[in-house]
Amino acid sequence: MRKCMGCQESKDKRELIRVVRGTDGTVSLDFGGKLNGRGAYLCPDPECLKKAQKAKSLERSLEVPIPDEVYARLAKEMETN
């Protein structure tokens, strides 16, 4: 069980999208859940992404600024699901 950074609900981690800060400090999406680094989770819902972006909860959780490209890729992935 993991908590979504947008809606703050606990869900099974396979239902969520993992955003990971790698050991080199880069931020990327981890669909397999296997990348090394600190992870934060989001529901595959555009509303959760908006809430997380507005509250800067991903930045606080991962302790780095989140590039706009990561937010754009998250939005694109949520559209396709």
Side-chain angles (χ1 to χ4, degrees):
M1 298 296 284
R2 300 291 186 266
K3 187 185 283 190
C4 171
M5 293 286 104
C7 64
Q8 302 298 311
E9 290 182 22
S10 292
K11 299 185 178 183
D12 188 79
K13 73 179 191 176
R14 287 181 291 278
E15 297 175 22
L16 303 170
I17 298 172
R18 183 173 187 238
V19 182
V20 66
R21 181 195 72 209
T23 53
D24 59 355
T26 60
V27 177
S28 60
L29 301 183
D30 179 16
F31 295 103
K34 302 284 185 193
L35 291 178
N36 287 333
R38 183 173 184 85
Y41 295 83
L42 274 175
C43 293
D45 179 4
E47 286 302 313
C48 287
L49 177 59
K50 288 178 187 174
K51 288 178 186 177
Q53 198 169 5
K54 184 176 181 183
K56 297 187 184 262
S57 55
L58 286 175
E59 281 96 343
R60 282 197 312 276
S61 180
L62 298 177
E63 301 170 344
V64 293
I66 306 297
D68 290 334
E69 302 87 53
V70 173
Y71 283 123
R73 181 147 181 242
L74 277 166
K76 184 178 178 186
E77 288 295 329
M78 289 176 184
E79 287 174 8
T80 59
N81 288 337

